[in-house]
Amino acid sequence: MTALSPVPAYPWPQGKASAFCFSVDVDAHAPWLWANRADMPRLLGHHEQRSFGPRIGMPRIAALLAAHGIKGSFFVPAIVAETHPWMLPALVDAGHEVGLHGYFHELVAQVSDDQFTHFLEGAIGLFQAQTGQTPRGFRSPAWEMTPHMLAECRRLDLYDSSLMGLETPHSVNGVTQIPVSWSTDDAIFFKFLGGGGDMGPPLGTDAVYRAWTEELQASRRYGTLMMLTVHDWISGKAVRAQMLDKLLGHVTASPDIWIATAGELAAHHRAHAPERDALTASLPESPLEHPAWKDA
Ligand SMILES: [Zn+2]
Protein backbone atom coordinates (compact mmCIF):
# COMPACT_ATOMS: atom_id res chain seq x y z
CA MET A 1 0.00 0.00 0.00
CA THR A 2 1.29 3.44 -0.85
CA ALA A 3 0.56 6.59 1.08
CA LEU A 4 -1.86 7.67 -1.64
CA SER A 5 -4.00 4.51 -1.49
CA PRO A 6 -7.63 5.20 -0.55
CA VAL A 7 -8.20 5.16 3.20
CA PRO A 8 -10.26 2.06 4.15
CA ALA A 9 -13.66 2.95 5.60
CA TYR A 10 -13.80 3.04 9.40
CA PRO A 11 -15.83 0.06 10.71
CA TRP A 12 -18.79 1.83 12.34
CA PRO A 13 -21.30 -0.55 13.96
CA GLN A 14 -24.36 -1.88 12.09
CA GLY A 15 -23.06 -0.67 8.75
CA LYS A 16 -23.52 3.01 9.68
CA ALA A 17 -21.93 5.57 7.36
CA SER A 18 -20.53 7.89 10.01
CA ALA A 19 -20.73 8.86 13.66
CA PHE A 20 -21.89 11.89 15.62
CA CYS A 21 -21.02 12.75 19.21
CA PHE A 22 -22.51 15.61 21.22
CA SER A 23 -19.94 16.72 23.74
CA VAL A 24 -20.09 19.51 26.28
CA ASP A 25 -17.03 21.04 27.89
CA VAL A 26 -18.67 22.30 31.07
CA ASP A 27 -16.16 25.04 31.74
CA ALA A 28 -18.47 27.42 33.65
CA HIS A 29 -16.25 29.69 35.80
CA ALA A 30 -13.23 27.37 35.89
CA PRO A 31 -11.06 29.00 33.16
CA TRP A 32 -11.70 32.40 34.79
CA LEU A 33 -10.56 31.01 38.15
CA TRP A 34 -7.45 29.48 36.63
CA ALA A 35 -6.50 32.60 34.70
CA ASN A 36 -6.95 34.84 37.76
CA ARG A 37 -5.61 32.46 40.41
CA ALA A 38 -2.67 34.66 41.40
CA ASP A 39 -4.65 37.90 41.52
CA MET A 40 -8.39 37.48 41.89
CA PRO A 41 -10.29 40.45 40.40
CA ARG A 42 -13.07 42.50 42.05
CA LEU A 43 -15.07 42.46 38.80
CA LEU A 44 -18.25 40.43 38.57
CA GLY A 45 -18.89 40.51 34.82
CA HIS A 46 -17.02 37.48 33.51
CA HIS A 47 -17.94 35.38 36.52
CA GLU A 48 -21.63 36.14 36.04
CA GLN A 49 -21.44 35.51 32.28
CA ARG A 50 -19.89 32.09 32.89
CA SER A 51 -22.25 31.26 35.78
CA PHE A 52 -25.08 31.40 33.25
CA GLY A 53 -23.86 27.94 32.17
CA PRO A 54 -24.73 25.97 35.32
CA ARG A 55 -27.83 28.10 35.96
CA ILE A 56 -29.56 28.01 32.57
CA GLY A 57 -27.25 26.52 29.93
CA MET A 58 -26.99 23.07 31.49
CA PRO A 59 -30.72 22.44 32.05
CA ARG A 60 -31.46 23.88 28.60
CA ILE A 61 -28.91 21.64 26.85
CA ALA A 62 -30.06 18.62 28.87
CA ALA A 63 -33.68 19.26 27.82
CA LEU A 64 -32.60 19.53 24.18
CA LEU A 65 -30.78 16.20 24.33
CA ALA A 66 -33.72 14.54 26.08
CA ALA A 67 -36.11 15.85 23.40
CA HIS A 68 -33.95 14.29 20.67
CA GLY A 69 -33.22 11.09 22.60
CA ILE A 70 -29.46 11.74 22.51
CA LYS A 71 -26.95 10.90 25.25
CA GLY A 72 -24.12 13.41 25.53
CA SER A 73 -20.57 13.35 26.89
CA PHE A 74 -20.04 16.05 29.49
CA PHE A 75 -16.43 16.85 30.38
CA VAL A 76 -16.50 18.66 33.72
CA PRO A 77 -13.61 20.35 35.57
CA ALA A 78 -13.57 19.05 39.16
CA ILE A 79 -13.91 22.57 40.59
CA VAL A 80 -17.17 23.01 38.64
CA ALA A 81 -18.51 19.72 40.03
CA GLU A 82 -17.41 20.78 43.51
CA THR A 83 -19.14 24.18 43.18
CA HIS A 84 -22.33 22.60 41.77
CA PRO A 85 -22.56 19.22 43.52
CA TRP A 86 -25.90 18.41 41.85
CA MET A 87 -24.32 18.39 38.42
CA LEU A 88 -22.51 15.06 38.04
CA PRO A 89 -25.23 12.97 39.76
CA ALA A 90 -27.94 14.68 37.65
CA LEU A 91 -26.05 14.01 34.42
CA VAL A 92 -25.45 10.36 35.33
CA ASP A 93 -29.12 9.97 36.31
CA ALA A 94 -30.15 11.31 32.91
CA GLY A 95 -27.97 8.64 31.23
CA HIS A 96 -25.20 10.94 30.03
CA GLU A 97 -21.50 10.25 30.21
CA VAL A 98 -19.37 12.37 32.54
CA GLY A 99 -15.65 12.73 31.85
CA LEU A 100 -12.62 14.54 33.24
CA HIS A 101 -11.60 18.05 32.18
CA GLY A 102 -8.88 19.03 34.66
CA TYR A 103 -9.35 20.06 38.28
CA PHE A 104 -9.21 23.83 37.82
CA HIS A 105 -9.24 23.76 34.00
CA GLU A 106 -5.46 24.03 34.40
CA LEU A 107 -3.72 24.72 31.12
CA VAL A 108 -1.18 22.10 30.14
CA ALA A 109 1.59 24.55 29.38
CA GLN A 110 1.22 26.07 32.87
CA VAL A 111 1.52 22.92 35.00
CA SER A 112 4.36 20.48 35.62
CA ASP A 113 3.99 16.77 34.93
CA ASP A 114 3.69 16.12 38.67
CA GLN A 115 1.02 18.77 39.10
CA PHE A 116 -0.93 17.33 36.18
CA THR A 117 -0.93 13.90 37.80
CA HIS A 118 -1.89 15.37 41.19
CA PHE A 119 -4.86 17.28 39.72
CA LEU A 120 -5.96 14.31 37.61
CA GLU A 121 -6.00 11.94 40.57
CA GLY A 122 -7.82 14.54 42.66
CA ALA A 123 -10.47 14.96 39.98
CA ILE A 124 -10.98 11.20 39.68
CA GLY A 125 -11.44 11.01 43.47
CA LEU A 126 -14.07 13.75 43.36
CA PHE A 127 -15.97 12.06 40.52
CA GLN A 128 -15.93 8.78 42.45
CA ALA A 129 -17.20 10.48 45.61
CA GLN A 130 -20.01 12.30 43.79
CA THR A 131 -21.19 9.57 41.40
CA GLY A 132 -19.89 6.27 42.79
CA GLN A 133 -18.32 5.69 39.36
CA THR A 134 -14.82 6.04 37.96
CA PRO A 135 -14.75 8.23 34.85
CA ARG A 136 -13.49 6.48 31.70
CA GLY A 137 -12.55 9.50 29.63
CA PHE A 138 -10.37 12.59 29.73
CA ARG A 139 -10.52 15.77 27.69
CA SER A 140 -7.73 18.25 28.16
CA PRO A 141 -8.54 21.89 28.89
CA ALA A 142 -7.80 23.82 25.66
CA TRP A 143 -7.10 20.48 23.91
CA GLU A 144 -3.34 20.23 24.44
CA MET A 145 -1.51 17.08 25.48
CA THR A 146 2.01 16.03 26.44
CA PRO A 147 3.64 12.58 26.30
CA HIS A 148 3.36 12.49 30.12
CA MET A 149 -0.38 13.12 29.97
CA LEU A 150 -0.85 10.32 27.45
CA ALA A 151 1.21 8.00 29.67
CA GLU A 152 -1.00 8.90 32.63
CA CYS A 153 -4.18 8.26 30.63
CA ARG A 154 -2.75 4.88 29.75
CA ARG A 155 -1.82 4.10 33.36
CA LEU A 156 -5.33 5.02 34.54
CA ASP A 157 -7.04 3.27 31.60
CA LEU A 158 -8.66 6.49 30.35
CA TYR A 159 -9.46 7.25 26.75
CA ASP A 160 -8.53 10.74 25.61
CA SER A 161 -10.59 13.15 23.51
CA SER A 162 -8.29 16.14 22.95
CA LEU A 163 -6.29 15.60 19.75
CA MET A 164 -7.11 15.82 16.07
CA GLY A 165 -4.54 13.74 14.20
CA LEU A 166 -7.31 11.73 12.47
CA GLU A 167 -11.05 12.10 11.94
CA THR A 168 -11.99 8.67 13.27
CA PRO A 169 -11.21 6.88 16.56
CA HIS A 170 -7.63 5.66 16.80
CA SER A 171 -4.94 5.31 19.42
CA VAL A 172 -1.96 7.47 20.28
CA ASN A 173 0.85 5.98 22.36
CA GLY A 174 -1.49 3.18 23.43
CA VAL A 175 -4.33 5.50 24.49
CA THR A 176 -7.66 5.32 22.65
CA GLN A 177 -8.24 8.69 21.03
CA ILE A 178 -11.68 10.08 20.17
CA PRO A 179 -10.70 13.09 18.09
CA VAL A 180 -12.03 16.62 18.37
CA SER A 181 -12.15 19.37 15.75
CA TRP A 182 -11.91 23.16 16.08
CA SER A 183 -14.41 23.68 13.26
CA THR A 184 -17.13 21.94 15.26
CA ASP A 185 -16.35 23.75 18.53
CA ASP A 186 -18.78 26.54 19.45
CA ALA A 187 -16.14 28.65 21.22
CA ILE A 188 -14.31 29.68 18.07
CA PHE A 189 -17.52 31.12 16.60
CA PHE A 190 -19.40 32.45 19.61
CA LYS A 191 -17.07 33.08 22.54
CA PHE A 192 -17.14 36.76 23.42
CA LEU A 193 -16.11 38.14 26.78
CA GLY A 194 -15.86 41.87 26.12
CA GLY A 195 -13.21 44.09 27.61
CA GLY A 196 -11.22 44.34 24.38
CA GLY A 197 -9.64 40.90 24.50
CA ASP A 198 -11.81 39.29 21.81
CA MET A 199 -10.76 38.63 18.23
CA GLY A 200 -14.05 39.92 16.82
CA PRO A 201 -17.81 39.93 17.39
CA PRO A 202 -19.54 36.56 17.83
CA LEU A 203 -20.90 34.99 14.63
CA GLY A 204 -24.64 34.76 14.06
CA THR A 205 -26.24 31.33 14.31
CA ASP A 206 -27.16 31.24 10.58
CA ALA A 207 -23.52 31.05 9.53
CA VAL A 208 -22.65 28.41 12.12
CA TYR A 209 -25.74 26.34 11.36
CA ARG A 210 -24.73 26.32 7.70
CA ALA A 211 -21.15 25.37 8.55
CA TRP A 212 -22.19 22.55 10.87
CA THR A 213 -24.79 21.05 8.53
CA GLU A 214 -22.06 21.03 5.90
CA GLU A 215 -19.77 19.29 8.39
CA LEU A 216 -22.49 16.69 8.93
CA GLN A 217 -22.87 16.04 5.19
CA ALA A 218 -19.11 15.76 4.72
CA SER A 219 -18.83 13.45 7.71
CA ARG A 220 -21.38 11.06 6.13
CA ARG A 221 -19.67 11.25 2.75
CA TYR A 222 -16.20 10.45 4.12
CA GLY A 223 -17.30 8.17 6.97
CA THR A 224 -15.79 10.28 9.73
CA LEU A 225 -16.75 11.19 13.27
CA MET A 226 -18.39 14.57 13.73
CA MET A 227 -17.44 15.56 17.26
CA LEU A 228 -19.56 18.55 18.18
CA THR A 229 -18.23 20.40 21.22
CA VAL A 230 -20.28 23.06 22.94
CA HIS A 231 -19.87 24.94 26.21
CA ASP A 232 -22.54 25.36 28.88
CA TRP A 233 -22.20 29.16 29.08
CA ILE A 234 -21.84 29.71 25.32
CA SER A 235 -24.31 27.40 23.54
CA GLY A 236 -26.76 27.37 26.43
CA LYS A 237 -27.85 30.86 25.32
CA ALA A 238 -31.37 30.92 23.84
CA VAL A 239 -30.60 31.61 20.19
CA ARG A 240 -27.79 29.04 20.07
CA ALA A 241 -29.87 26.37 21.77
CA GLN A 242 -32.54 27.05 19.16
CA MET A 243 -29.96 26.51 16.40
CA LEU A 244 -28.73 23.29 18.06
CA ASP A 245 -32.30 22.03 18.16
CA LYS A 246 -32.48 22.38 14.37
CA LEU A 247 -29.09 20.74 13.88
CA LEU A 248 -29.97 17.77 16.10
CA GLY A 249 -33.16 17.36 14.06
CA HIS A 250 -30.93 16.75 11.03
CA VAL A 251 -28.75 14.30 12.91
CA THR A 252 -31.61 12.19 14.21
CA ALA A 253 -33.36 12.22 10.81
CA SER A 254 -30.35 10.45 9.24
CA PRO A 255 -30.54 6.74 10.08
CA ASP A 256 -27.05 6.09 8.69
CA ILE A 257 -25.38 8.19 11.41
CA TRP A 258 -24.29 6.39 14.58
CA ILE A 259 -25.07 8.73 17.49
CA ALA A 260 -22.76 7.76 20.32
CA THR A 261 -21.07 9.12 23.42
CA ALA A 262 -17.30 9.46 23.43
CA GLY A 263 -17.19 6.55 25.88
CA GLU A 264 -19.22 4.37 23.49
CA LEU A 265 -16.94 5.36 20.62
CA ALA A 266 -13.88 4.41 22.70
CA ALA A 267 -15.39 1.08 23.72
CA HIS A 268 -16.31 0.32 20.10
CA HIS A 269 -12.81 1.13 18.89
CA ARG A 270 -11.19 -1.07 21.54
CA ALA A 271 -13.52 -3.98 20.80
CA HIS A 272 -13.66 -3.85 17.01
CA ALA A 273 -10.69 -1.96 15.62
CA PRO A 274 -7.93 -1.97 18.25
CA GLU A 275 -5.13 -2.49 15.72
CA ARG A 276 -6.35 0.15 13.30
CA ASP A 277 -4.51 3.48 13.29
CA ALA A 278 -2.32 2.77 16.33
CA LEU A 279 -0.20 5.89 16.17
CA THR A 280 2.93 6.92 17.99
CA ALA A 281 3.07 10.64 18.70
CA SER A 282 6.56 12.05 18.61
CA LEU A 283 8.00 15.45 17.87
CA PRO A 284 10.55 16.13 15.13
CA GLU A 285 13.94 17.59 16.01
CA SER A 286 14.48 21.32 15.96
CA PRO A 287 15.47 22.84 12.59
CA LEU A 288 18.60 24.05 14.40
CA GLU A 289 19.75 20.41 14.50
CA HIS A 290 19.02 19.82 10.82
CA PRO A 291 22.00 19.37 8.42
CA ALA A 292 20.49 21.99 6.09
CA TRP A 293 20.71 24.51 8.92
CA LYS A 294 24.29 23.65 9.79
CA ASP A 295 25.36 24.01 6.19
CA ALA A 296 23.67 27.38 5.84
ZN1 LIG B 1 -12.64 23.63 28.67
Side-chain angles (χ1 to χ4, degrees), residues 124-145:
I124 291 172
L126 184 89
F127 272 56
Q128 287 168 333
Q130 289 196 343
T131 68
Q133 297 173 9
T134 301
R136 309 307 306 164
F138 174 75
R139 173 169 286 168
S140 173
W143 295 356
E144 256 305 355
M145 290 296 283

Side-chain angles (χ1 to χ4, degrees), residues 117-171:
T117 297
H118 178 75
F119 290 141
L120 182 66
E121 289 176 345
I124 291 172
L126 184 89
F127 272 56
Q128 287 168 333
Q130 289 196 343
T131 68
Q133 297 173 9
T134 301
R136 309 307 306 164
F138 174 75
R139 173 169 286 168
S140 173
W143 295 356
E144 256 305 355
M145 290 296 283
T146 65
H148 172 78
M149 292 166 73
L150 284 173
E152 288 297 84
C153 285
R154 188 170 182 173
R155 175 175 74 84
L156 296 163
D157 198 24
L158 296 166
Y159 73 81
D160 174 56
S161 180
S162 312
L163 297 173
M164 49 193 96
L166 290 177
E167 297 167 311
T168 47
H170 55 286
S171 65

Side-chain angles (χ1 to χ4, degrees), residues 25-28 30-31 50 75 77 101 105 107 139-143 229 231 233:
D25 289 3
V26 190
D27 286 354
R50 289 176 167 281
F75 297 96
H101 195 45
H105 205 269
L107 297 181
R139 173 169 286 168
S140 173
W143 295 356
T229 302
H231 294 75
W233 65 281

Side-chain angles (χ1 to χ4, degrees), residues 168-272:
T168 47
H170 55 286
S171 65
V172 180
N173 297 3
V175 176
T176 304
Q177 180 64 229
I178 307 303
V180 291
S181 173
W182 287 118
S183 56
T184 47
D185 172 8
D186 65 346
I188 68 161
F189 302 107
F190 296 136
K191 185 178 171 189
F192 191 88
L193 282 157
D198 299 294
M199 302 272 284
L203 245 57
T205 49
D206 270 1
V208 179
Y209 174 71
R210 212 169 47 239
W212 286 353
T213 46
E214 216 180 325
E215 289 273 355
L216 196 63
Q217 281 167 7
S219 167
R220 290 165 73 196
R221 172 176 173 175
Y222 286 101
T224 64
L225 163 68
M226 177 169 167
M227 171 63 77
L228 185 67
T229 302
V230 303
H231 294 75
D232 53 308
W233 65 281
I234 298 175
S235 282
K237 298 295 257 187
V239 71
R240 296 168 190 156
Q242 181 172 267
M243 183 270 281
L244 284 177
D245 190 22
K246 246 189 333 174
L247 181 74
L248 294 181
H250 269 300
V251 174
T252 53
S254 309
D256 59 347
I257 299 175
W258 184 37
I259 303 170
T261 63
E264 288 167 343
L265 286 154
H268 172 77
H269 186 76
R270 285 172 180 162
H272 300 286

